[in-house]
Amino acid sequence: MRRKTPAPLPQRFGLDPARMRLPETGSWPTVRAHLADRLPLVTPAVLDAMFTERRIADLRGPLELDAPYVPGAVVWFHRELPIEVPVPFPIGVVHRDDHLLVVDKPHFLATIPRGKHIQETALVKLRRQYDLPDLSAAHRLDRVTAGLMMFVINRADRGAYQTLFRDRLVHKEYEAVAPVNPGLVLPTTVRSRILKERGVITAQEVDGPPNAETEVELLEQRDGLGRYRLRPKTGRTHQLRLHLTRLGIPILGDDFYPVLTERPLDDFTRPLQLLARTLGFTDPITGQEHRFSSRLTLAAWTDYPSWASDASRRSR
């Protein structure tokens, strides 16, 4: 396997620099002139600051404002970061050893930098808090889902742990709070075909051979509300949310299913009542058997009265 060339710039605010290859053909006199065309949303003043603050480099080091354009060369740079709404919930550490960092990710915190969420992500926060520049995510959780997330500490170990999830060698259990449907026979297994199109915020169930499977079990109930154990056999986008909606028991706090509802990024009330409860696997590095359990709870179950109206509305 071809090794990736190390970046000539250190991380900034826990983020790696972006990598860009310059086109083989072009008439730009300088790297700055090319970047001005390539990055039209970056103002000239900001672009100049990126050079003067030594945030743009090639393999020889930081570039000057008048650095000549070299066709086919590679440059690295740190972009200006957007202003983000702070997520006011802590990340709890469940386990740490020489290879793994397992945490309880709170609701509303994205796993990795993407789109509007850069510094307010679990990966960047953990890199900075624990001084772990090579930390990487072994898998992902939706921003609105809380619970167990596994991160790999050493770059060399990343593939071994990510392969566990790719090959479905990790036992995963989730908890959800949703209305009770008296006519629903549980436990049951839901199978469907799920399609997530790029650029579309929600996923869809479509006709065709199933590619998603979830075991659903009702653990306990009270006053029309149920606490469910979910065992996904596959890992499709929004699979658990779609499958409970399919059963007529959409998860409380879900802004996507069955009806898409917009929520401001600074609204941290009534989170999705879905929790990654358990992770179990054989460690591919040490051979040790791991079984981790989340220490978080779901608010709709521990504070039922404040969620009763939502439960009643969804059960109709």
Side-chain angles (χ1 to χ4, degrees), residues 178-192:
V180 170
N181 180 350
L184 187 61
V185 178
L186 296 174
T188 190
T189 298
V190 184
R191 299 180 182 88
S192 70

Side-chain angles (χ1 to χ4, degrees), residues 47-263:
L47 187 57
D48 288 347
M50 291 167 64
F51 278 95
T52 57
E53 294 172 9
R54 305 175 72 79
R55 285 193 271 139
I56 301 176
D58 63 11
L59 286 175
R60 295 169 298 178
L63 297 175
E64 301 296 333
L65 271 167
D66 59 353
Y69 180 86
V70 179
V74 176
V75 298
W76 288 259
F77 59 92
H78 284 291
R79 298 178 185 266
E80 284 292 294
L81 297 177
I83 298 175
E84 299 179 56
V85 176
V87 179
F89 308 112
I91 305 174
V93 174
V94 175
H95 170 85
R96 181 177 177 179
D97 58 29
D98 291 340
H99 307 283
L100 293 176
L101 178 63
V102 183
V103 304
D104 264 330
K105 183 188 80 66
H107 295 288
F108 303 110
L109 186 67
T111 300
I112 63 173
R114 186 177 181 184
K116 298 179 180 178
H117 309 285
I118 306 298
Q119 295 189 82
E120 289 297 314
T121 59
L123 177 61
V124 172
K125 284 176 173 283
L126 292 169
R127 278 179 175 176
R128 299 182 68 182
Q129 183 174 352
Y130 296 103
D131 191 22
L132 295 171
D134 290 336
L135 193 72
S136 59
H139 63 119
R140 299 184 189 182
L141 281 182
D142 287 345
R143 187 179 72 90
V144 290
T145 302
L148 292 176
M149 273 291 312
M150 192 165 85
F151 293 86
V152 184
I153 291 176
N154 304 307
R155 191 182 301 271
D157 298 336
R158 182 182 306 171
Y161 290 105
Q162 291 178 340
T163 298
L164 287 177
F165 290 88
R166 184 198 67 190
D167 293 346
R168 303 176 187 174
L169 298 176
V170 179
H171 175 77
K172 296 185 286 186
E173 293 183 5
Y174 289 73
E175 280 186 19
V177 179
V180 170
N181 180 350
L184 187 61
V185 178
L186 296 174
T188 190
T189 298
V190 184
R191 299 180 182 88
S192 70
R193 185 168 189 80
I194 293 175
L195 176 65
K196 175 67 168 64
E197 296 182 5
R198 183 182 296 273
V200 179
I201 194 170
T202 57
Q204 304 293 328
E205 290 185 299
V206 299
D207 294 334
N211 62 2
E213 179 178 333
T214 307
E215 295 178 359
V216 181
E217 177 185 0
L218 179 61
L219 296 176
E220 54 184 325
Q221 60 179 304
R222 62 175 183 229
D223 300 324
L225 197 66
R227 185 170 69 90
Y228 296 85
R229 177 187 291 136
L230 312 177
R231 295 189 181 96
K233 301 302 181 182
T234 53
R236 296 291 170 178
T237 300
H238 300 171
Q239 174 178 321
L240 303 180
R241 300 159 72 175
L242 279 166
H243 280 176
L244 262 66
T245 299
R246 182 184 183 90
L247 293 175
I249 49 172
I251 300 173
L252 297 191
D254 197 338
D255 294 328
F256 284 14
Y257 310 101
V259 178
L260 179 61
T261 305
E262 290 195 21
R263 179 201 291 256

